[in-house]
Amino acid sequence: MTKLALYVPLEARPGKEQEVADFLRSALPLVEAEAGTVAWFAIQTGPSSFAIFDAFDDEASRDAHLSGKVAAALMGKADELFASRPQIRKLDVLASKLPS
């Protein structure tokens, strides 16, 4: 059962909006290789506002994701792409509907 999640709001530096969108799209193959990541979404909420939402069945999977390649790439590009350092918010999932 999916019971944990992460939410990471991101604000692109001025002029870096397309680079942020491209960076987020490029992360998909890395996430697809993570067996414990049940769901992963990279979204754009405004002209320069983006976010990542991902879900996990257990803490070990969430921890593996946080110490994985996507998180490392995100933090490695943070100063270049984002107006401020990404703040990773740990969430509890109360209910979900995912494909089986």
Side-chain angles (χ1 to χ4, degrees):
M1 181 177 129
T2 303
K3 55 186 177 180
L4 301 172
L6 296 171
Y7 178 71
V8 186
L10 303 164
E11 188 67 29
R13 285 187 176 278
K16 297 288 186 174
E17 297 83 0
Q18 187 59 52
E19 287 182 58
V20 170
D22 293 343
F23 169 77
L24 292 172
R25 286 185 191 99
S26 76
L28 182 58
L30 298 174
V31 175
E32 288 175 331
E34 296 178 352
T37 302
V38 175
W40 183 85
F41 299 91
I43 58 175
Q44 186 167 4
T45 60
S48 62
S49 300
F50 300 83
I52 299 169
F53 176 84
D54 30 21
F56 312 90
D57 288 341
D58 54 51
E59 194 66 51
S61 296
R62 182 164 68 178
D63 288 344
H65 178 74
L66 286 171
S67 61
K69 293 179 181 180
V70 175
L74 181 71
M75 292 309 186
K77 291 277 196 177
D79 292 338
E80 175 189 342
L81 296 179
F82 307 116
S84 61
R85 298 282 299 166
Q87 298 298 310
I88 299 171
R89 300 177 186 166
K90 291 183 175 184
L91 309 174
D92 294 322
V93 175
L94 301 178
S96 66
K97 179 185 182 284
L98 297 168
S100 49

